[in-house]
Amino acid sequence: MEELDGEPTVTLIPGVNSKKKQMCFDWGPGEMLVCETTFNKKENSETVPGCPFIYIIRKDIDVYSQILRKLFNESHGIFVGLQRIEEELTGKSRKAQLVRVSKNYRSVIRACMEEMHQAAVAAKDPASGRQFSSQVSILSAMELIWNLCEILFIEVAPAGPLLLHLLDWVRLHVCEVDSLLADVLGSENPSKHESFWNLPGNTQTLTELELKWQHWHEECERHLQDGTFASSPHLECLCKIMLGDEAALLEQKELLNNWYHFLVTRLLYSHPTVKPIDLHFYAQSSLDLFLGGESSPEPLDNILMAAFEFDIHQVIKECSIALSNWWFVAHLTDLLDHCKLLQSHNLYFGSNMREFLLLEYASGLFAHHSLWQLGVDYFDYCPELGRVSLELHIERIPLSTEQKALKVLRICEQRQMTEQVRSICKILAMKAVRNNRLGSALSWSIRAKDAAFATLVSDRFLRDYCERGCFSDLDLIDNLGPAMMLSDRLTFLGKYREFHRFYGEKRFFDAASLLLSLMTSQIAPRCFWVTLLTDALPLLEQKQVIFTTEQTYELMRCLEDLASGRPVQGEASAQRLQEDLENTKLEILRLALARNLARAIIKEGSLEGS
Amino acid sequence: MVSVINTVDTSHEDMIHDAQMDYYGTRLATCSSDRSVKIFDVRNGGQILIADLRGHEGPVWQVAWAHPMYGNILASCSYDRKVIIWKEENGTWEKTHEHTGHDSSVNSVCWAPHDYGLILACGSSDGAISLLTYTGEGQWEVKKINNAHTIGCNAVSWAPAVVPGSLIDQPSGQKPNYIKKFASGGCDNLIKLWKEEEDGQWKEEQKLEAHSDWVRDVAWAPSIGLPTSTIASCSQDGRVFIWTCDDVSSNTWSPKLLHKFNDVVWHVSWSITANILAVSGGDNKVTLWKESVDGQWVCISDVNKGQGSVSTSVTEGQQNEQ
């Protein structure tokens, strides 16, 4: 945004008022932390102890309002819809469609207002009642401003229809006062007006209208001069009003809630064919007359005035300052951008104002535990910094449940945010390991393509197996597929399980070859060889000879390697292996191998089939 | 509009020196002159003490959370010359490593971008910076840069990870060649940029001179995908500078004065999308700054400590759902 005209807002944090204490600060992903401290470390802790409180503060608290939530949700739908139909918006229908979008936004605001009003009425304590009521006023102001912007910028009503729109505008927002004179000032004449102008399907030109109006005006004037209403001061006053007499109008000030009501009424009776570019003259004078030097314009007045002056940037700027969240300016600016009304304003953060505001709004949504999903779509439609903003924010979403994690991952994968996917999978893998959910940890590491972690988890699986004699998560290991190749240890785990399957299916020869290849191919960790050799025992004890002489020699060699404790680089120390390989086990294995060798030699020596 | 949404009573018995939110904003770590480090669960506006960690023998100056992919790990540094790394194992927090390689108070700790591995930089009043790298199975490798800053080093901050050269997908599983860099600020009034060479040694790559007194803090801004790099620095001289380098290859840094304050400026930190800079000053305020259209830095908010009622708002639905 451009320079601020005012001083920045000061937020006071309660605490011990001390001359010597400063504030320490940290950014959270959504919130901020402050606490009292003394930075000058040289000073000793004084007699006055420090304040032990940490204050967590948040910028966009509106995000947590239950009722506004509907506003955010529904406007999100309208926003996305608008972005999507952008290409289809052509020619004459374009304006009509954009107006429709604008009306949709406004109806959402009104619905929210209504609900907020109900809440105010039903409020149990006066404080929250007041809170809700003030929210209603804010929403009402927002709708007022939006409506005016719709008329002036989107509808772009020309002279003639312009006044009718303004009348509707005023009636909608202001004439909720039920009083007879108000009716006169507001509704009665417009209906006469409408029939006078014979809308819709009005085929008269502006000049024709003007002439007609002039005629009528002169007639009124004549009646006044002639004293037709002399007997009734009431009717006389009415006539003066209808002639646009400002003084007469101002006399009814209490019925005119505000200056823009005054403005429109004035225009109705004195300049019904006012042109858009002339509006601001009347607006300014109306404001001045109405306030009468007794009070100064409020922020809302300035915003409306800026709109009458067709200064869109000023409208947006003032709204940004006056409103507590970015919802309004983000959506309105986006819509106006679609109307091609914003000049490109080069900003460092966001190449134009639309993007800047959308980024601010979307960032605010990420502070909420479920509204962040809406924020994703907003970032998607910010071509410059949307993607990187999304990357930075989405990593910070707490992955409190598996569902949430999967949701986040899906969003990242859809957008090819591979770094984020990897990072999130790693985090989940780590979490799973800590909670001893090895299967989960393994599938996350595979998804993260994290070889190191996969090795770690595979090791855990193997260790578990050694301790308990069975595998957990068999399904997962059995169906690893090509993912098995991610790490040697993982491959070993997969193949080892396959060995067990072969054995279970009595495919002894396959099991035997696999077992041997596991040992000779170096993918079996050395510390596991004892287990593997022990696994070979049942195969060696089978009635039929399974291991060939060659294979048996290999196994023997492996056994002796192990027994001699020859250390292999990177593997566990020789000493530990020695301990593992107790003598009894060693003897059993040697015996079994020897016996098998003997039988194998005999078998191979004999003729086939004999 | 800023509102206090939660007040955490840490029950620290002495001055709090640092408070840090974890990655997700669900936990808070604090450290104090009472020599303890405390961890709180602050979800949904609550506060539950998770751990009260003792181990330091002097005031603890800073805490830093590691990236969650390495588990729940917290580092703390203290006047007692030690850096302790704490880890949550099976639901309890314990000391997992202690680094005693400094001769004087350790003032600042900062974890490197997770892409580099688990690496902690520590800056000390003995002028040295040490780098602890986790190598597995409880082992940490130490590299030390002696005399990084004469008199003392007050702050360290890592540069965001950027893959050099082509940013297109590396073949999966292969670690890209990151150029690791970090910035440090010291009592020699300088900011120094350090780079890891191919042989694993750290070399001073640049000196940034602009301050006229001790540099108290440096903060390297997160990357938002632009080729520009940005560093904020603050000093005893009351100045805050924003340093920018438009092109990595040219490596020329130009400072812009953010503001001259009337008192020492102690800390600077960037919001996670790097668009707001928070400045903590001796004037009892935290000010928030944003860059405006014409490149000027504008103060957008003043968070001031003082007396006054807390402006809590009706925040419906905040306490419940998950």
Side-chain angles (χ1 to χ4, degrees):
Chain A
M1 295 298 295
E2 291 152 0
E3 313 150 355
L4 291 175
D5 298 323
E7 284 297 304
T9 37
V10 177
T11 305
L12 289 171
I13 308 293
V16 175
N17 188 11
S18 163
K19 284 173 283 198
K20 292 229 161 131
K21 304 281 170 65
Q22 292 93 45
M23 284 212 303
C24 124
F25 179 93
D26 178 45
W27 289 102
E31 293 85 22
M32 298 171 265
L33 289 181
V34 287
C35 78
E36 186 190 86
T37 188
T38 300
F39 288 120
N40 194 342
K41 293 157 187 158
K42 297 243 167 66
E43 289 177 14
N44 282 323
S45 312
E46 294 149 8
T47 48
V48 181
C51 173
F53 294 115
I54 309 266
Y55 302 95
I56 301 180
I57 58 187
R58 178 181 279 153
K59 256 193 336 154
D60 299 299
I61 47 141
D62 288 342
V63 151
Y64 275 92
S65 155
Q66 281 277 52
I67 301 171
L68 287 182
R69 196 160 166 178
K70 234 193 234 171
L71 179 74
F72 299 138
N73 268 308
E74 291 180 7
S75 60
H76 162 261
I78 302 171
F79 172 84
V80 173
L82 174 60
Q83 313 309 309
R84 291 203 181 130
I85 62 166
E86 170 60 45
E87 279 112 57
E88 300 159 24
L89 296 175
T90 47
K92 288 220 141 193
S93 68
R94 188 190 172 87
K95 188 169 94 168
Q97 284 186 289
L98 289 169
V99 170
R100 204 173 311 138
V101 170
S102 179
K103 289 196 197 299
N104 281 340
Y105 275 124
R106 283 198 296 121
S107 70
V108 168
I109 300 175
R110 293 198 80 85
C112 187
M113 228 165 87
E114 184 54 46
E115 217 180 302
M116 196 70 82
H117 177 72
Q118 302 289 351
V121 166
K124 300 224 171 74
D125 64 286
S128 49
R130 274 195 297 274
Q131 186 81 18
F132 285 125
S133 295
S134 105
Q135 277 279 28
V136 173
S137 316
I138 294 172
L139 286 168
S140 173
M142 283 184 356
E143 213 256 305
L144 179 76
I145 299 166
W146 193 301
N147 199 346
L148 183 61
C149 289
E150 181 185 303
I151 295 168
L152 298 175
F153 307 141
I154 305 175
E155 184 82 62
V156 196
L162 174 61
L163 186 60
L164 286 177
H165 284 294
L166 288 174
L167 278 166
D168 279 337
W169 175 63
V170 158
R171 214 179 326 165
L172 195 59
H173 295 97
V174 175
C175 292
E176 271 118 25
V177 184
D178 40 354
S179 136
L180 200 55
L181 253 109
D183 277 343
V184 169
L185 288 170
S187 48
E188 201 182 283
N189 286 291
S191 57
K192 182 175 169 180
H193 213 84
E194 273 167 44
S195 56
F196 179 68
W197 282 2
N198 212 23
L199 291 166
N202 188 7
T203 51
Q204 297 168 313
T205 65
L206 197 61
T207 339
E208 285 172 348
L209 286 173
E210 278 215 30
L211 281 172
K212 274 202 182 166
W213 181 82
Q214 275 288 81
H215 186 78
W216 173 82
H217 196 260
E218 279 158 15
E219 209 180 300
C220 274
E221 188 100 48
R222 225 175 318 130
H223 279 296
L224 191 65
Q225 302 292 355
D226 294 347
T228 322
F229 303 115
S231 50
S232 163
H234 198 75
L235 283 173
E236 197 171 75
C237 171
L238 217 59
C239 190
K240 279 192 188 157
I241 288 170
M242 282 164 63
L243 286 170
D245 186 321
E246 284 153 15
L249 271 173
L250 279 171
E251 271 168 33
Q252 311 299 333
K253 203 165 165 182
E254 317 86 64
L255 292 165
L256 297 165
N257 300 54
N258 43 54
W259 64 273
Y260 36 96
H261 188 178
F262 174 51
L263 163 69
V264 174
T265 314
R266 242 180 103 198
L267 289 173
L268 175 64
Y269 296 119
S270 48
H271 309 279
T273 54
V274 64
K275 296 203 214 47
I277 49 166
D278 295 330
L279 261 182
H280 72 100
F281 291 124
Y282 299 111
Q284 189 62 60
S285 62
S286 301
L287 176 63
D288 295 335
L289 283 169
F290 196 82
L291 292 179
E294 284 163 12
S295 44
S296 27
E298 304 202 333
L300 177 59
D301 301 328
N302 293 328
I303 294 168
L304 293 174
M305 190 58 68
F308 284 123
E309 288 166 2
F310 283 84
D311 189 347
I312 295 179
H313 287 107
Q314 189 68 15
V315 171
I316 295 169
K317 178 175 161 186
E318 300 255 358
C319 288
S320 304
I321 295 171
L323 293 167
S324 65
N325 68 51
W326 298 99
W327 180 88
F328 181 79
V329 283
H331 289 88
L332 180 62
T333 308
D334 172 63
L335 181 56
L336 294 177
D337 190 47
H338 283 280
C339 301
K340 312 274 191 249
L341 289 171
L342 303 176
Q343 301 151 336
S344 145
H345 237 73
N346 235 341
L347 287 170
Y348 179 51
F349 293 109
S351 70
N352 55 49
M353 186 165 356
R354 168 193 172 271
E355 180 157 326
F356 174 85
L357 296 171
L358 287 173
L359 288 173
E360 289 287 342
Y361 173 66
S363 299
L365 289 174
F366 268 84
H368 190 274
H369 57 80
S370 67
L371 286 178
W372 62 270
Q373 293 167 80
L374 304 180
V376 175
D377 288 317
Y378 287 95
F379 280 137
D380 279 345
Y381 290 108
C382 291
E384 295 272 328
L385 292 174
R387 191 190 166 84
V388 68
S389 300
L390 180 58
E391 284 171 4
L392 289 167
H393 276 108
I394 207 154
E395 279 190 314
R396 301 296 188 127
I397 294 172
L399 306 168
S400 40
T401 61
E402 176 115 345
Q403 274 171 315
K404 203 166 180 186
L406 288 171
K407 211 182 271 187
V408 172
L409 277 173
R410 205 179 326 128
I411 290 171
C412 292
E413 280 164 353
Q414 280 168 351
R415 291 158 179 76
Q416 283 98 46
M417 296 185 71
T418 43
E419 278 311 312
Q420 280 66 33
V421 170
R422 221 167 276 163
S423 160
I424 290 169
C425 290
K426 280 187 185 177
I427 293 170
L428 293 167
M430 173 60 82
K431 218 164 151 183
V433 163
R434 279 207 323 270
N435 292 324
N436 232 358
R437 292 180 290 118
L438 295 180
S440 188
L442 189 59
S443 45
W444 286 123
S445 356
I446 291 171
R447 198 159 170 181
K449 298 199 178 68
D450 187 349
F453 214 82
T455 302
L456 198 142
V457 182
S458 306
D459 266 337
R460 287 280 289 266
F461 266 114
L462 293 168
R463 220 181 319 148
D464 261 9
Y465 170 78
C466 288
E467 281 166 25
R468 296 185 303 164
C470 62
F471 282 111
S472 54
D473 303 283
L474 281 177
D475 259 345
L476 176 65
I477 304 172
D478 283 345
N479 294 305
L480 283 174
M484 215 191 282
M485 298 302 146
L486 181 60
S487 99
D488 276 353
R489 196 54 47 85
L490 183 58
T491 314
F492 171 70
L493 177 65
K495 290 287 173 193
Y496 184 58
R497 169 66 201 138
E498 205 176 315
F499 162 75
H500 278 274
R501 272 210 322 277
F502 284 158
Y503 189 86
E505 292 164 15
K506 302 206 190 300
R507 290 164 61 181
F508 297 129
F509 290 98
D510 290 329
S513 331
L514 181 54
L515 182 67
L516 193 59
S517 70
L518 284 177
M519 290 186 71
T520 53
S521 66
Q522 308 289 334
I523 66 162
R526 195 77 171 220
C527 50
F528 215 74
W529 281 19
V530 181
T531 314
L532 287 174
L533 286 165
T534 318
D535 283 335
L537 276 173
L539 291 171
L540 293 164
E541 304 290 328
Q542 290 281 332
K543 272 227 188 83
Q544 48 172 323
V545 177
I546 298 174
F547 286 103
T548 65
T549 43
E550 285 253 3
Q551 288 174 329
T552 315
Y553 277 129
E554 281 285 347
L555 284 174
M556 287 168 119
R557 191 179 54 75
C558 290
L559 179 61
E560 294 315 316
D561 256 353
L562 209 53
S564 68
R566 222 171 357 108
V568 171
Q569 193 181 31
E571 292 285 0
S573 70
Q575 196 166 25
R576 231 177 61 199
L577 289 173
Q578 290 277 46
E579 286 159 20
D580 278 356
L581 201 58
E582 314 142 0
N583 272 333
T584 36
K585 219 183 242 178
L586 188 59
E587 287 313 312
I588 294 173
L589 283 167
R590 279 185 178 143
L591 185 58
L593 284 168
R595 275 216 293 263
N596 192 71
L597 185 60
R599 289 161 60 200
I601 291 172
I602 295 172
K603 176 180 172 199
E604 282 159 32
S606 326
L607 289 169
E608 211 57 78
S610 62
Chain B
M1 198 175 88
V2 160
S3 291
V4 176
I5 57 166
N6 194 1
T7 303
V8 178
D9 181 357
T10 61
S11 302
H12 273 300
E13 290 153 4
D14 207 331
M15 183 72 61
I16 298 173
H17 292 290
D18 196 17
Q20 296 280 322
M21 285 283 219
D22 76 342
Y23 202 65
Y24 299 116
T26 49
R27 288 180 168 181
L28 167 65
T30 61
C31 62
S32 159
S33 269
D34 70 3
R35 306 173 178 193
S36 72
V37 172
K38 295 193 186 187
I39 302 177
F40 298 86
D41 179 323
V42 292
R43 276 175 298 185
N44 297 325
Q47 52 165 93
I48 303 169
L49 178 67
I50 298 174
D52 185 341
L53 306 169
R54 307 275 164 166
H56 280 296
E57 288 150 355
V60 188
W61 302 129
Q62 264 192 22
V63 283
W65 289 95
H67 192 274
M69 74 167 62
Y70 296 109
N72 285 340
I73 298 177
L74 185 72
S76 62
C77 63
S78 160
Y79 178 75
D80 70 357
R81 298 172 287 163
K82 290 196 283 199
V83 171
I84 299 182
I85 298 175
W86 314 87
K87 187 169 171 161
E88 188 183 29
E89 207 68 78
N90 298 323
T92 45
W93 282 87
E94 291 159 354
K95 187 196 304 198
T96 183
H97 184 70
E98 195 174 280
H99 172 60
T100 48
H102 285 286
D103 307 320
S104 191
S105 168
V106 183
N107 302 318
S108 173
V109 278
C110 182
W111 291 102
H114 68 86
D115 318 67
Y116 300 165
L118 193 57
I119 307 177
L120 183 71
C122 323
S124 164
S125 287
D126 65 4
I129 296 172
S130 53
L131 294 135
L132 312 180
T133 306
Y134 186 65
T135 50
E137 302 193 13
Q139 299 304 310
W140 292 80
E141 180 193 89
V142 180
K143 286 198 190 129
K144 199 166 175 196
I145 305 172
N146 283 306
N147 291 316
H149 291 274
T150 50
I151 310 175
C153 171
N154 295 323
V156 282
S157 171
W158 287 88
V162 173
V163 182
S166 152
L167 288 163
I168 304 169
D169 256 332
Q170 302 272 338
S172 70
Q174 215 181 47
K175 261 203 147 87
N177 272 338
Y178 291 107
I179 298 176
K180 300 185 188 123
K181 289 195 195 182
F182 71 89
S184 65
C187 302
D188 50 7
N189 309 350
L190 296 172
I191 297 149
K192 291 192 180 181
L193 304 185
W194 305 87
K195 180 172 141 173
E196 193 191 44
E197 302 278 278
E198 277 168 20
D199 60 356
Q201 294 309 306
W202 285 87
K203 198 182 113 191
E204 181 189 307
E205 194 192 37
Q206 277 257 316
K207 269 197 211 14
L208 304 181
E209 295 186 61
H211 286 294
S212 54
D213 206 334
W214 291 14
V215 176
R216 282 290 172 189
D217 201 8
V218 285
W220 207 310
S223 164
I224 50 166
L226 301 172
T228 325
S229 295
T230 310
I231 297 176
S233 68
C234 65
S235 156
Q236 199 85 19
D237 67 8
R239 289 191 181 81
V240 175
F241 281 104
I242 310 287
W243 302 82
T244 45
C245 172
D246 288 322
D247 179 8
V248 183
S249 52
S250 70
N251 214 6
T252 37
W253 292 80
S254 15
K256 184 192 288 179
L257 180 69
L258 177 92
H259 192 67
K260 162 98 177 47
F261 292 82
N262 293 327
D263 206 329
V264 180
V265 184
W266 295 93
H267 280 301
V268 281
S269 63
W270 294 97
S271 63
I272 59 162
T273 45
N275 59 345
I276 308 180
L277 180 70
V279 178
S280 267
D283 54 357
N284 294 3
K285 287 202 272 199
V286 172
T287 43
L288 304 179
W289 299 79
K290 219 171 184 166
E291 195 176 14
S292 72
V293 186
D294 51 0
Q296 291 308 307
W297 285 85
V298 180
C299 180
I300 58 167
S301 181
D302 242 296
V303 181
N304 198 323
K305 189 195 64 53
Q307 283 167 334
S309 56
V310 176
S311 59
T312 43
S313 348
V314 175
T315 42
E316 294 223 328
Q318 195 195 347
Q319 257 82 24
N320 47 28
E321 349 175 19
Q322 192 38 276

